[in-house]
Amino acid sequence: MRNYLDSILAALRALKVNLMRSALTTLGIIIGVGAVIVMVAVGAGAEARVDQLIHSLGSNLIIVLPGSRTASGVRLGSGSSPTLTDDDAEAIQREIGSVQAAAPIVRGSAQIVFGNLNWATAIYGITPNYLEVREWEVAAGRNLETQDIKSSAKVALLGQTVADNLFPGENPLGQIIRIKRVPFEVVGLLKAKGQTPAGQDQDDTVLIPLTTARTRVLGGRWLGGKTVGSVYIKVLRADLVGEAQEQVGQLLRQRHRLRSGQDDDFFMRNLAQILEARAESSRTMSLLLAAVASVSLVVGGIGIMNIMFVSVTERTREIGLRMAVGAKSRDILSQFLIESVTLSLIGGLIGIGLGLAGSLALARLGEWPTVIEIDSVLLAFCFSAAVGVFFGYYPARKAARLDPIEALRYE
């Protein structure tokens, strides 16, 4: 232990003699370690952001939308054929065991009026289990109830954006708003959800009973029927989403009496798969950038090897003197190897500091989501030490194998 401590002190003294050269030598290690930490933090931040988006939309979520229809040879696009009904949603929830809840929805837009204030927003006609499917909580008041649906009650839940614009600094509960001149009592205020991956404000919405939306607000194609614009389905567990999606498709084909070979009159979206694909692409890009940044570590290692060769050449007589007074080959090997590792570790520590600072700067100034992972910091530090050992071993071995007599005669 004493010999190793002496070797470390000797290595630090040798590095201090050529301070500028040592600093320039570690530059590649500093850049490499710092860049790896920043890139991994950006990738982890992107993944965390996707997880947040999945949670805001509702985890394990499947959305069923109406299919398209063809008129005079012209395909009118998705949603042009009103093929989904309330009964489809009830059947999905009743007959598929992996489904926790299914919520039928109709959607439109309208101007909301309160006093002398007004606001244009999205109107959703829903059933009480919509909030369960979307994992959306009520911040104040209550959710819609089954009785509200049966009686076509004129009650509403407000999103935070609507509440902020119609009731700035006021409590909206119990207030009467008008939607297309129809009075509605505000019975609940929703918790803030934020934006969707497409940038849509989820809080800019008003939720009213499904039956009321059909008969009193939206009208049109929704009036007098049981068709809905979409069905949101929440699956019990993430590993059951694929199976549930297949079962939902089979059930709807059976209910809609579609023959074999006939196209579906509906289509489904699995939002988790879409967002996870985006997360995977972010991870792949981060790994690619981290791999590119790792090249700096290799370049830094080559620089260390070069400087160690120079150091061995400059200190040949010193090596000969040490051997002449009893130093063994392993002592010389350990001294130069410790110098190499010390250079790498110093560069690694500085690189870690710069990497952490860079990650925080990106998060605050660039507004990029970053997550600093301890594992990546430790990995970068250990890799920098490994670079010192790998690239420093050959010059150290060359120093240890010098002939003492030839070393003493070296000019």
Side-chain angles (χ1 to χ4, degrees):
M1 180 62 70
R2 178 66 181 176
N3 289 338
Y4 281 113
L5 182 60
D6 290 340
S7 297
I8 292 172
L9 293 175
L12 291 174
R13 285 194 296 269
L15 295 176
K16 188 177 179 181
V17 170
N18 296 290
L19 192 58
M20 182 58 69
R21 187 173 71 181
S22 300
L24 293 175
T25 303
T26 60
L27 194 58
I29 302 294
I30 293 171
I31 294 173
V33 170
V36 167
I37 291 174
V38 171
M39 292 302 103
V40 172
V42 169
E47 189 172 350
R49 175 59 178 161
V50 169
D51 290 340
Q52 182 183 353
L53 290 172
I54 291 175
H55 182 73
S56 72
L57 292 171
S59 58
N60 311 333
L61 184 64
I62 299 173
I63 300 178
V64 186
L65 299 167
S68 62
R69 64 186 178 91
T70 303
S72 302
V74 178
R75 302 183 69 184
L76 300 181
S78 60
S80 58
S81 179
T83 56
L84 299 176
T85 65
D86 298 356
D87 296 335
D88 288 333
E90 291 175 6
I92 290 169
Q93 184 165 337
R94 182 179 63 251
E95 298 183 25
I96 300 179
S98 57
V99 170
Q100 179 176 330
I105 300 163
V106 295
R107 183 184 185 279
S109 59
Q111 202 78 14
I112 315 298
V113 178
F114 174 73
N116 62 348
L117 299 175
N118 65 90
W119 185 255
T121 189
I123 308 296
Y124 283 81
I126 64 165
T127 55
N129 57 1
Y130 174 76
L131 296 190
E132 178 186 359
V133 171
R134 292 291 312 279
E135 297 182 4
W136 208 338
E137 297 180 14
V138 177
R142 66 172 178 87
N143 187 14
L144 300 184
E145 299 172 350
T146 303
Q147 185 58 37
D148 296 328
I149 309 299
K150 291 180 178 179
S151 64
S152 298
K154 291 178 286 187
V155 293
L157 304 177
L158 301 186
Q160 288 284 351
T161 300
V162 177
D164 292 342
N165 283 276
L166 291 182
F167 304 94
E170 299 180 31
N171 182 8
L173 295 182
Q175 301 287 356
I176 302 299
I177 61 174
R178 293 186 177 275
I179 307 175
K180 291 189 175 180
R181 299 184 181 179
V182 179
F184 281 80
E185 179 187 357
V186 179
V187 297
L189 178 63
L190 299 169
K191 282 191 175 180
K193 269 272 189 181
Q195 293 185 341
T196 66
Q200 180 183 359
D201 185 2
Q202 298 182 88
D203 301 312
D204 192 0
T205 186
V206 173
L207 308 182
I208 61 177
L210 179 63
T211 50
T212 312
R214 284 188 178 128
T215 58
R216 303 300 300 272
V217 178
L218 301 181
R221 61 174 175 164
W222 311 119
L223 187 62
K226 300 192 73 176
T227 59
V228 295
S230 58
V231 178
Y232 279 48
I233 302 169
K234 180 177 177 59
V235 183
L236 289 171
R237 300 196 313 270
D239 60 315
L240 297 175
V241 170
E243 176 186 342
Q245 187 169 337
E246 183 177 350
Q247 292 175 349
V248 168
Q250 293 173 354
L251 177 61
L252 290 178
R253 287 187 62 86
Q254 179 184 349
R255 288 184 55 82
H256 297 177
R257 296 181 173 85
L258 299 177
R259 297 185 299 273
S260 178
Q262 192 173 356
D263 291 339
D264 293 340
D265 60 355
F266 59 89
F267 66 96
M268 291 181 283
R269 290 178 178 172
N270 181 348
L271 297 185
Q273 288 181 347
I274 297 172
L275 292 173
E276 284 171 7
R278 179 180 293 186
E280 184 62 31
S281 64
S282 297
R283 285 195 294 269
T284 302
M285 182 59 68
S286 298
L287 289 174
L288 178 61
L289 293 173
V292 172
S294 298
V295 173
S296 294
L297 288 174
V298 177
V299 172
I302 294 172
I304 288 175
M305 177 183 285
N306 182 47
I307 291 302
M308 293 309 297
F309 274 128
V310 172
S311 181
V312 169
T313 302
E314 291 178 345
R315 296 158 61 187
T316 301
R317 287 180 60 83
E318 175 192 332
I319 294 169
L321 286 172
R322 292 194 63 190
M323 288 182 169
V325 296
K328 298 180 179 179
S329 295
R330 65 171 179 268
D331 297 324
I332 305 299
L333 178 69
S334 64
Q335 179 183 347
F336 282 89
L337 199 56
I338 287 172
E339 286 186 25
S340 174
V341 173
T342 302
L343 273 174
S344 294
L345 291 181
I346 290 173
L349 288 172
I350 297 173
I352 288 172
L354 291 178
L356 296 177
S359 300
L360 294 175
L362 280 177
R364 293 187 180 181
L365 302 179
E367 297 184 354
W368 285 14
T370 57
V371 175
I372 298 171
E373 296 184 338
I374 300 300
D375 291 345
S376 66
V377 174
L378 293 176
L379 180 63
F381 183 72
C382 293
F383 191 68
S384 67
V387 165
V389 173
F390 181 80
F391 287 97
Y393 179 77
Y394 184 69
R397 181 168 172 268
K398 179 183 177 182
R401 298 180 68 178
L402 286 175
D403 182 273
I405 298 174
E406 293 296 326
L408 285 171
R409 293 168 57 186
Y410 183 82
E411 292 295 337

